[in-house]
């Protein structure tokens, strides 16, 4: 368990309280009371809408994806040997309205489990995430409204006030996202485009999608999916077509539409004239979390190339 201590009242343009762990030692908040108010965080997570379009808010048009891939080919750097690892610091920002589960509070043990599962899912890629810090930010307006659908300015404010590090640091925020999506992320190539893009880099998640929650289809792998975007992968159904470049990875079959969580893990083929069934076991599809369990070798190669080009500076890491 990572201990959580009280950081105090911050002087932002609004009053925001943060409880931070593990490296801070300030005057103590009554954490026993906070934990008794929060109860078990392994409850209350409602199923997402059945429509898979509500699953992920990370999207890119076919034209924009082609432009980015063309630019990537001109910038691409060779990655390190396959047996070597990319290691990134991860800062987890649990934004809350109050210290109850319904108010967004996640105990540190739950967050640690989320990160452990993320690392297990990425174990085949040579990418590892070290949990550097957990911050619990008490700001009701951020919790309810700081998202790109209902409050982009608030999202920028929240991230600018709390984010840590640069392109090579993963920041994850959990908020309510009451109307979906389950989460969204920034692609690595967007970091330097504008100052706002640099601020918005990272991952936002619906706080209630956790291991052990009530949802039968979403129990934590949304983090893996969104981090997949952060390291440079598209959806396996990118373009939603049985022709074209798809997700720009050769060994993921063409896929006309995302897999519904209602499908279970039953084989389906939306592009019957092309080789292979839909990649329902892939982390970058929308299938149920019980199915999502793999990245392909082609995706792993793309991840490593994207990271070497956009996120991992060899000189800075030495």
């Amino acid at each position: 368990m990572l201990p959580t201590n009280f950081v105090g009242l911050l002087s932002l343009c609004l009053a925001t309280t943060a409880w931070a762990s593990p490296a801070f030692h300030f005057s103590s908040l009554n954490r026993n009371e906070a934990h008794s108010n929060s109860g078990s965080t392994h409850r209350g997570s409602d199923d997402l809408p059945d429509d898979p379009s509500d699953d992920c808010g990370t999207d890119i048009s076919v034209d924009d994806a082609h432009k980015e891939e063309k630019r990537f080919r001109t910038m691409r750097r060779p990655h390190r040997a396959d047996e070597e690892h990319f290691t990134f610091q991860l800062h987890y920002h649990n934004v809350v309205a109050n210290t109850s589960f319904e108010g967004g509070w996640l105990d540190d043990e739950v967050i640690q489990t989320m990160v452990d599962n993320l690392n297990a899912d990425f174990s085949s890629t040579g990418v590892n995430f070290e949990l550097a810090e957990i911050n619990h930010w008490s700001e009701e307006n951020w919790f309810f409204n700081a998202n790109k659908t209902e409050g982009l300015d608030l999202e920028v404010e929240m991230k600018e006030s709390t984010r840590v590090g640069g392109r090579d640091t993963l920041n994850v925020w959990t908020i309510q996202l009451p109307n979906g999506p389950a989460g969204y992320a920034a692609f690595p190539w967007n970091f330097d485009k504008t100052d706002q893009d640099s601020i918005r880099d990272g991952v936002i998640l619906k706080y209630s999608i956790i291991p052990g929650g009530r949802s039968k289809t979403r129990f934590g792998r949304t983090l893996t999916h969104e981090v997949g975007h952060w390291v440079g992968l598209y959806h396996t159904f990118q373009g939603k077509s049985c022709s074209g470049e798809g997700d720009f990875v050769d060994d993921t079959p063409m896929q006309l539409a995302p897999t519904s969580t209602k499908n279970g893990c039953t084989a389906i083929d939306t592009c019957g004239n092309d080789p292979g069934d839909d990649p329902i076991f892939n982390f970058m599809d929308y299938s149920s979390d019980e199915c999502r369990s793999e990245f392909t070798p082609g995706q792993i190669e793309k991840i490593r190339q994207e990271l070497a080009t956009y996120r991992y500076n060899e000189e800075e890491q030495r």
Side-chain angles (χ1 to χ4, degrees), residues 109-121 129:
E109 298 97 322
V110 175
I111 294 172
Q112 182 67 64
T113 298
M114 293 277 286
V115 176
D116 290 345
N117 291 346
L118 173 70
N119 280 317
D121 291 345
F129 301 94

